[in-house]
Amino acid sequence: MGNNTEFERGVLWLSENLTFDVDARINLFECNIRVLGGLISAHILATDSANRLVQGSYKNQLLTLAEDLGRRFLPSFDTPTGLPYAWINLKHGVMENETTETSTSGCGSLILEMGALSRLTGDPRYEAAALRSLRKLWSMRSSLNLLGTTLDVITGEWIEYSSGIGAGVDSFYEYLFKAFVLFGKEDYWRMFHSAYLAVQKYFRHGPWYHEADMRTGKATYWQLTSLQAFWPGLQVLVGDIPAANSSHREFVHVWEKFGVQPERYLLDHQMLHPTEKYYPLRPELAESTFYLYQATKDPWYMEVGELIVNSLNLYTKVEGGFASIRDVTTMQMEDHQHSFFLAETCKYLYLLFDDSFLVDRNYIFTTEGHPLPVLSSWHERLPETYIPTNWTFFKVQTQRRKASAMSLQVCPATTLNPIHGDQQVESACHVPDARSDHRCFSHDDCGVDAISCRHRSCSIAGYCGLWLYI
């Protein structure tokens, strides 16, 4: 917002007063997206070229705090599966008899913050732990490319097979795509694309999204939840604007009907959920409205933003801030204001009407609304198929044209591409394993098979191959 003096005061206050050496049991997912993400984002804003702080007053104190917090996260990943415990004590680590149940979001939405921490500190442990967890989670998907909602971090078994795009799963999809944008790793796109198609096939019903059993794809619960309202914003980033607009308008109609967004609405009964009538100042509708306006510049979305602002001022504003709504039918308040109201709800509404912060800059926002810059230095090196020495060539008349392997997509080597007539084109897919003896420490060490064009994977024994996981 341009208030550099207040930003500097906040940064210096945190530097002098915040400590994580406390005997407190915290939720890994929430602490990651709110605290770690906030520290990393603020550190980047404090050190970029905008000169927001007085020169010499900032000496990476927020990054030091973020690294301290990240180290305290690491014991939660010490499980047979690599999936982290949902709860950890900041001083003592994982406590005895700690619950082994976690959610898909809880172990699949850590890669942005922990990946950024590794890039900023040079310590690969944070990104490696988050990536191992994400890959394990993806390996647990069903044959329909669907995942459940809750699972056991010790056994790696699903607990709740029903899932949708709402609570317990939502940010998993979001982080697959945003990790691809932030780090440029093709694996993230492949996972997201498969998952996105499965969502559209098994969860979507017109403009609405119901829940379904990951094993069969059969519908389980027909309900709208307030967290689902983030989905149109993600669809904007993917480029699926018509679908995003269609769903967004339905959420707006529900907002207009009740004055705010109820936590859960039963689509099959056209009624509010009897025990979840509350509105805790959630940001998801404002977030999607912001993205749709950025994509279309349709002034109608600014009218939606005005509707949201007016409702917040009318129903939730109190002397000490903004209060959550306990019951949307009576607008009874409760004495609570979540941190995401400031981090997201207010931020997305502000950016909807004044996006000058984003001009000539390229950011992605974490699931808690913290901006991270898209930097070429954070991107993976290009796959070997993009390197000129690995390009293949084919003749067109008398000209010799070079074509990258990725553009030809010819595989296996015996395949002829019809558009090239009788011209022989070499297989474009082969990428050798990193080591000639085919040993590996992770899937990154394995290449692409020349015959099937399938990505080779690293076995438990540490060898690359076309392994069939059962």
Side-chain angles (χ1 to χ4, degrees):
M1 298 170 73
N3 191 342
N4 292 345
T5 55
E6 185 67 13
F7 177 61
E8 181 171 329
R9 189 189 71 82
V11 167
L12 296 180
W13 189 93
L14 283 173
S15 304
E16 296 167 2
N17 293 278
L18 182 61
T19 177
F20 297 117
D21 190 28
V22 290
D23 184 5
R25 179 176 179 262
I26 57 96
N27 182 274
L28 177 70
F29 167 73
E30 295 291 354
C31 201
N32 174 70
I33 65 174
R34 301 189 194 209
V35 187
L36 183 62
L39 288 170
I40 290 171
S41 181
H43 164 73
I44 292 171
L45 292 174
T47 54
D48 67 13
S49 59
N51 297 317
R52 294 183 176 89
L53 300 179
V54 174
Q55 194 167 8
S57 65
Y58 182 68
K59 299 181 176 62
N60 296 336
Q61 298 99 315
L62 298 188
L63 182 59
T64 301
L65 283 166
E67 190 168 17
D68 177 40
L69 182 59
R71 278 196 295 267
R72 295 173 191 272
F73 284 174
L74 290 178
S76 67
F77 292 88
D78 187 16
T79 63
T81 61
L83 299 168
Y85 283 93
W87 297 87
I88 188 169
N89 186 290
L90 287 176
K91 183 185 282 286
H92 304 296
V94 178
M95 303 299 286
E96 189 177 357
N97 298 321
E98 183 58 82
T99 177
T100 59
E101 182 174 344
T102 190
S103 67
T104 298
S105 291
C107 51
S109 309
L110 304 166
I111 190 64
L112 293 187
E113 293 83 1
M114 296 189 74
L117 183 60
S118 282
R119 305 303 167 103
L120 291 168
T121 63
D123 187 337
R125 290 180 298 165
Y126 313 111
E127 184 172 8
L131 183 55
R132 183 189 176 204
S133 172
L134 183 61
R135 281 190 167 140
K136 173 59 180 177
L137 187 64
W138 183 243
S139 74
M140 294 168 59
R141 71 194 185 278
S142 71
S143 60
L144 307 178
N145 285 329
L146 297 176
L147 294 92
T149 303
T150 58
L151 57 146
D152 189 294
V153 301
I154 300 299
T155 65
E157 299 293 329
W158 288 106
I159 298 172
E160 175 55 68
Y161 291 99
S162 177
S163 73
I165 58 169
V169 190
D170 48 1
S171 53
F172 164 75
Y173 297 109
E174 179 185 358
Y175 270 37
L176 284 180
F177 182 77
K178 290 182 176 179
F180 170 63
V181 175
L182 192 63
F183 302 124
K185 194 178 183 68
E186 289 286 331
D187 282 358
Y188 296 130
W189 168 254
R190 283 191 287 268
M191 286 188 279
F192 172 78
H193 188 240
S194 299
Y196 182 76
L197 292 178
V199 166
Q200 297 301 97
K201 180 176 181 180
Y202 296 106
F203 296 163
R204 187 179 181 185
H205 183 78
W208 301 106
Y209 290 83
H210 57 73
E211 296 183 20
D213 189 303
M214 63 173 284
R215 300 162 295 184
T216 63
K218 301 295 185 184
T220 52
Y221 302 108
W222 291 79
Q223 55 191 4
L224 173 149
T225 63
S226 60
L227 289 172
Q228 293 175 348
F230 91 99
W231 189 255
L234 179 59
Q235 290 183 305
V236 169
L237 293 179
V238 179
D240 200 350
I241 307 297
N245 175 64
S246 174
S247 294
H248 177 267
R249 287 178 181 267
E250 298 299 328
F251 283 108
V252 173
H253 291 155
V254 173
W255 183 287
E256 291 175 326
K257 180 176 181 178
F258 294 100
V260 291
Q261 194 85 48
E263 186 70 2
R264 195 177 298 270
Y265 184 79
L266 305 178
L267 294 171
D268 46 353
H269 299 292
Q270 290 293 297
M271 60 175 283
L272 287 171
H273 189 283
T275 62
E276 296 187 46
K277 302 177 181 180
Y278 53 87
Y279 170 64
L281 306 174
R282 290 206 188 276
E284 284 75 18
L285 183 60
E287 176 185 359
S288 289
T289 303
F290 159 72
Y291 279 116
L292 276 161
Y293 177 72
Q294 286 291 320
T296 66
K297 300 302 180 185
D298 185 335
W300 182 78
Y301 296 109
M302 299 193 83
E303 295 176 15
V304 173
E306 187 177 3
L307 170 70
I308 296 172
V309 169
N310 289 340
S311 294
L312 292 172
N313 282 324
L314 178 62
Y315 299 120
T316 72
K317 186 173 175 59
V318 293
E319 184 178 357
F322 290 78
S324 298
I325 300 295
R326 189 186 303 275
D327 186 334
V328 301
T329 61
T330 63
M331 291 302 176
Q332 178 190 2
M333 296 180 183
E334 59 178 308
D335 190 13
H336 193 74
Q337 178 185 294
H338 285 277
S339 65
F340 56 66
F341 175 70
L342 296 175
E344 298 182 82
T345 310
C346 292
K347 185 181 296 171
Y348 286 123
L349 289 170
Y350 180 86
L351 290 173
L352 173 63
F353 296 103
D354 181 0
D355 61 1
S356 56
F357 170 75
L358 301 171
V359 174
D360 297 326
R361 294 183 177 91
N362 199 5
Y363 289 99
I364 58 128
F365 289 91
T366 70
T367 197
E368 198 68 11
H370 299 304
L372 296 175
V374 180
L375 305 171
S376 59
S377 59
W378 283 15
H379 275 215
E380 301 282 320
R381 72 180 182 88
L382 289 173
E384 292 195 20
T385 44
Y386 281 103
I387 299 173
T389 54
N390 288 338
W391 284 354
T392 55
F393 296 87
F394 63 94
K395 290 183 178 180
V396 177
Q397 296 174 350
T398 59
Q399 291 184 324
R400 184 175 176 83
R401 291 177 56 193
K402 64 181 181 181
S404 74
M406 297 299 284
S407 67
L408 284 182
Q409 294 288 308
V410 180
C411 187
T414 55
T415 303
L416 282 178
N417 193 326
I419 67 170
H420 299 124
D422 59 355
Q423 297 162 6
Q424 297 289 326
V425 183
E426 292 182 29
S427 172
C429 67
H430 181 229
V431 176
D433 297 331
R435 295 175 52 166
S436 58
D437 61 0
H438 308 295
R439 292 301 302 268
C440 57
F441 296 102
S442 71
H443 297 313
D444 289 340
D445 297 331
C446 302
V448 178
D449 186 73
I451 303 302
S452 67
C453 282
R454 285 173 53 199
H455 279 262
R456 292 157 63 81
S457 56
C458 189
S459 71
I460 296 175
Y463 285 91
C464 293
L466 294 177
W467 310 114
L468 178 63
Y469 292 98
I470 300 177

